[in-house]
Amino acid sequence: MLPYPTKRLRFRGMTTADLDEMSGLLGDPDVMTYYPAPKTREEAGAWIDWNLTNYARHGYGLWIVETLDGGFVGDCGLTWQSVNGRPELELGYHVRLDLQGRGYATEAASACLEYARDVVDVDRLVAIIHPGNVASRRVAERIGMRHLEDDLAGSMVRTVMGIELGPLQ
C-alpha cells in the first residue's frame, strides 16, 4: 500500500533504478544542509537499500514522490527512528532544491500522516528536525505537529516535533 495521491503528487516505492535521482537529491549540498554531509552515490544506494528493507519488514518506508505526470520531486514517508533511546515512527521528507517553496513537502507529508494514522495505526508520529531547519519545522507545523522534546541521545541536539494520532471519529 501507498499513501493516496494528492492534488499534485503521487507516491511509489523506491527501486534501484532510482539511484540517479536519489543520488542527485541526497548529494545536493543545499538539500542536505542540515545533515552532517551530502551523501555519495554509494550512500544514496544504501539509502535505497534501507528503504527496500523497510518495505519488506514494515510495509512502508520513504517513498518516491512524483508529480502526477511522473516528474521526480523527492522522497517522503515513514521510518522507525530512535528518540532519546526509544523507538518512534518518523515522518521524513526531502524535496529537490528547484521545487522547494511550492508546498510539495507539506502536501506529501500530510498524505503520509494520513497513511500513518489510517494504515499503520500508530498513536504518535514525529519529525526529527535540525534546530536550524526552519523550513522543515514549518512543514511539520503545517500538518499539525508541535514541539515535543529535544533528542539528546546522539552527537547533536535534534528537535522532535510530533502529533498524537488518535482513532478516527
Side-chain angles (χ1 to χ4, degrees):
M1 286 189 66
L2 298 168
Y4 288 118
T6 69
K7 183 177 168 185
R8 302 180 296 164
L9 303 172
R10 66 185 185 196
F11 298 84
R12 66 172 176 79
M14 272 185 211
T15 71
T16 55
D18 294 309
L19 182 57
D20 287 343
E21 287 88 358
M22 289 306 297
S23 62
L25 178 73
L26 300 174
D28 184 323
D30 292 319
V31 171
M32 302 300 282
T33 296
Y34 297 102
Y35 281 72
K39 296 195 179 300
T40 65
R41 186 172 178 83
E42 182 177 290
E43 290 168 331
W47 185 268
I48 292 170
D49 291 342
W50 172 60
N51 281 289
L52 295 175
T53 299
N54 283 330
Y55 301 157
R57 182 174 295 143
H58 305 292
Y60 51 84
L62 293 168
W63 295 287
I64 295 292
V65 179
E66 300 174 326
T67 58
L68 294 179
D69 63 1
F72 177 76
V73 173
D75 68 357
C76 185
L78 309 170
T79 61
W80 287 97
Q81 302 291 335
S82 178
V83 174
N84 290 316
R86 68 178 186 283
E88 292 277 2
L89 188 61
E90 184 198 19
L91 169 65
Y93 36 87
H94 300 98
V95 172
R96 282 181 14 208
L97 184 64
D98 63 319
L99 296 178
Q100 290 180 5
R102 299 181 187 188
Y104 287 138
T106 301
E107 196 170 319
S110 182
C112 289
L113 183 151
E114 290 175 15
Y115 183 94
R117 182 192 62 220
D118 300 346
V119 177
V120 181
D121 194 30
V122 292
D123 294 328
R124 179 162 73 175
L125 186 63
V126 302
I128 303 167
I129 301 170
H130 185 284
N133 194 340
V134 176
S136 187
R137 183 177 177 130
R138 266 189 257 138
V139 169
E141 289 170 343
R142 282 189 197 110
I143 65 167
M145 291 186 172
R146 61 178 178 75
H147 181 258
L148 298 178
E149 63 185 304
D150 291 329
D151 178 52
L152 309 171
S155 60
M156 61 185 226
V157 176
R158 303 179 306 169
T159 300
V160 181
M161 306 289 288
I163 187 169
E164 300 300 321
L165 301 175
L168 292 175
Q169 302 298 325

